[in-house]
Amino acid sequence: NGMRKIIHDCDCTFGINGCDVDDGLALLYLLGDPEAEVLGVTTTYGNNTLEKVYENTKKFVKKIGHDELRVYKGGATPGETESEAAHYLAEMAEKYAGELEILVTGSVTNLYGAWKHNPEFFHQVKSIVLMGGTTEPLIFAKREMDELNFSCDPLATYATLTSGTDVAVITGNNCLKVLFTREEYERELSDLSKGVVRLSRNETHYWVDKNWDEYGIPGYYNWDAIAAAYMMHPELFETQIVDMQLSTEKLTKGRMILAEDEAKKNCTLKIPVIRDADEFRRNLYDTWMNVKIETVK
């Protein structure tokens, strides 16, 4: 049917007080893009425990009226390769060899699991877009922040980055280019007759408040939605092709090191940077507005 086959592997905590909303917004973005066919959602830990993420993702999918979307439970801890999500990813890579695209916005454990079940996994998957990693310290409101995705399971991250055929990484550093403020949100998402507007506004307030209380920043960074936007619209980004010299040791802190010379590189990654902040924002809001949500409780 010409649509792109996508699986979203995430740690969705949208709606859990004190936890990030960006995985939910990334999934909404995929559902709003007419080119994307979301085959299923695989859950992982990161923003919270696997149990909480799994239950919350099922609730989220129901709330947005997409009951047809299957949610699969992943490994609960680093290196846990035996899971429903790992089997599902392995099967889908085989079924849609050369077509399957995976958006990864939490820890990378499930992809490692899929590879253990299907040694051809990384060759069969067409492309992988990950949100995570840093290439330099992540300075956020004058404080250095911990990296929270790649560092969860450094071995799984290392395997994915060095084995995938077409791997793009939206780094924490590059996400800091666009801040979403409450004022902008209320201006852009003003039509309260739309379910997606009510959901995006009412249920992200707590996260804006937390960022203001903790860091004094008047909004939040949309980490995972940026990765979803890159997956569907790479033209909105300037994509650098970078040789890396990765190690599991550095990845325990989520750090990716650029290779100093050819001999030392062990993988080549795409590192996208938002080209034009306004154009990017426009695309994000327009795509979210395509999502038809009948009832938001």
Side-chain angles (χ1 to χ4, degrees), residues 49-289:
T49 61
L50 174 74
E51 210 49 63
K52 284 224 168 99
V53 166
Y54 175 63
E55 291 307 328
N56 190 64
T57 306
K58 285 196 299 185
K59 203 169 89 181
F60 181 74
V61 160
K62 208 180 189 71
K63 175 180 273 186
I64 61 175
H66 277 272
D67 296 15
E68 83 291 347
L69 258 189
R70 285 289 309 273
V71 177
Y72 298 85
K73 195 175 192 174
T77 53
E80 191 179 316
T81 55
E82 196 43 63
S83 72
E84 189 187 35
H87 281 280
Y88 172 70
L89 284 161
E91 268 167 48
M92 291 294 110
E94 202 154 13
K95 182 175 179 180
Y96 298 111
E99 281 187 272
L100 181 66
E101 300 175 64
I102 306 174
L103 176 65
V104 184
T105 59
S107 65
V108 191
T109 300
N110 295 333
L111 276 71
Y112 189 67
W115 181 47
K116 289 287 180 225
H117 293 297
N118 168 5
E120 290 304 304
F121 176 74
F122 287 120
H123 297 296
Q124 290 169 343
V125 173
K126 181 184 178 184
S127 68
I128 300 171
V129 176
L130 305 101
M131 190 281 125
T134 58
T135 47
E136 53 196 274
L138 197 56
I139 307 294
F140 190 82
K142 301 194 174 63
R143 272 189 267 175
E144 185 173 347
M145 302 294 289
D146 290 337
E147 194 280 340
L148 300 173
N149 284 359
F150 286 8
S151 53
C152 291
D153 188 343
L155 194 62
T157 302
Y158 182 85
T160 301
L161 298 183
T162 55
S163 313
T165 40
D166 178 352
V167 180
V169 177
I170 307 292
T171 67
N173 312 94
N174 289 339
C175 290
L176 296 176
K177 297 197 182 311
V178 180
L179 180 72
F180 288 76
T181 63
R182 194 189 312 251
E183 288 70 25
E184 177 193 325
Y185 233 60
E186 289 176 356
R187 185 178 69 243
E188 294 292 340
L189 300 171
S190 57
D191 183 357
L192 289 168
S193 68
K194 290 191 179 227
V196 70
V197 168
R198 293 198 301 280
L199 177 84
S200 305
R201 276 178 57 161
N202 305 347
E203 309 228 0
T204 57
H205 273 336
Y206 73 87
W207 190 241
V208 178
D209 293 341
K210 181 178 156 73
N211 276 314
W212 177 252
D213 295 342
E214 279 188 28
Y215 304 109
I217 54 172
Y220 62 88
Y221 296 102
N222 228 318
W223 321 92
D224 297 343
I226 297 176
Y230 175 74
M231 176 171 252
M232 301 312 298
H233 291 283
E235 71 278 4
L236 294 171
F237 294 75
E238 199 74 64
T239 302
Q240 298 155 344
I241 309 287
V242 182
D243 289 342
M244 292 284 182
Q245 184 181 334
L246 301 179
S247 71
T248 46
E249 186 240 336
K250 290 278 191 237
L251 285 168
T252 58
K253 296 263 185 262
R255 182 57 63 86
M256 302 189 298
I257 306 296
L258 285 74
E260 287 157 29
D261 60 55
E262 193 73 17
K264 290 188 173 150
K265 78 167 192 191
N266 52 13
C267 71
T268 302
L269 302 173
K270 291 179 172 172
I271 308 284
V273 184
I274 294 166
R275 201 186 277 277
D276 176 304
D278 294 332
E279 195 186 357
F280 167 77
R281 283 190 162 95
R282 186 71 278 129
N283 172 266
L284 226 54
Y285 288 116
D286 290 349
T287 305
W288 282 329
M289 293 304 275

